[in-house]
Amino acid sequence: MKIGITNDHAALNLKNELKGYLIDQGYEVIDYGTNTNESCDYPLMGNNLCDAMARNEVEKGIAICGTGVGISIACNKHKGIRAVCCSETSSARLSREHNDANVVCFGARIISFELAKDIVETFLNTPFSNGERHLKRIQELTDLDNQKQA
Ligand code: RB5
């Protein structure tokens, strides 16, 4: 599976640790984030990933900032993106089963590398349930995307 990863300056170390871990696990990882400690803006870093997803360069995304909050808000501005901000694995699992989330976000200042690995593995390895009620609600999200951005 091809994974996109992005980060702002606050998440550089966690991004590098996770990227190395995922490559060791056999994932192909494309990096859309900053690679310096110089201050940068999370909306732009989220945008780099979401544009790549719109071009189908990567199937799923990981977006990290200091809290995970700013970059998840930024990613959710993009059509077709369903980003979830997680600080525990249950939300990562349920966001896949119920919401077919395609970007997982978290905060480098909030969670540890160990927890980040668990969240990412849970997110990447949990399939969408295909449940009828969930499909209906995701279609409603898609309809809203189309109406608001028309
Ligand atoms: C950057 O200092 C910080 O504001 C950013 O990484 C993020 O936490 C915003 O939500």
Side-chain angles (χ1 to χ4, degrees):
M1 191 191 294
K2 256 189 177 179
I3 310 295
I5 196 164
T6 193
N7 61 288
D8 73 359
H9 57 285
L12 180 60
N13 291 345
L14 183 56
K15 186 275 296 284
N16 284 333
E17 285 180 309
L18 263 180
K19 191 175 149 185
Y21 169 78
L22 289 168
I23 290 168
D24 287 349
Q25 299 303 303
Y27 292 100
E28 189 175 346
V29 183
I30 304 187
D31 189 345
Y32 299 99
T34 186
N35 276 301
T36 75
N37 286 310
E38 203 175 312
S39 181
C40 66
D41 298 327
Y42 59 80
L44 305 182
M45 298 302 120
N47 186 58
N48 293 345
L49 169 69
C50 296
D51 280 354
M53 290 180 73
R55 295 191 300 268
N56 291 318
E57 273 176 31
V58 290
E59 204 177 312
K60 290 208 173 68
I62 301 167
I64 325 168
C65 65
T67 59
V69 174
I71 207 155
S72 62
I73 294 171
C75 291
N76 277 315
K77 299 284 180 197
H78 291 259
K79 193 167 175 170
I81 296 295
R82 291 181 297 279
V84 59
C85 184
C86 294
S87 297
E88 31 67 43
T89 54
S90 297
S91 299
R93 180 174 55 79
L94 289 166
S95 75
R96 290 290 310 129
E97 289 176 351
H98 291 194
N99 314 109
D100 199 12
N102 48 13
V103 177
V104 66
C105 309
F106 37 82
R109 294 173 178 157
I110 306 290
I111 66 169
S112 65
F113 173 48
E114 289 305 313
L115 181 51
K117 279 193 297 190
D118 284 351
I119 287 173
V120 168
E121 288 286 13
T122 301
F123 186 80
L124 296 178
N125 292 304
T126 304
F128 176 51
S129 67
N130 258 302
E132 201 177 323
R133 70 183 193 282
H134 301 308
L135 282 166
K136 174 175 175 285
R137 291 163 188 163
I138 290 167
Q139 185 58 52
E140 288 167 359
L141 290 174
T142 304
D143 292 346
L144 285 169
D145 249 359
N146 291 334
Q147 279 168 31
K148 308 276 181 195
Q149 298 190 17

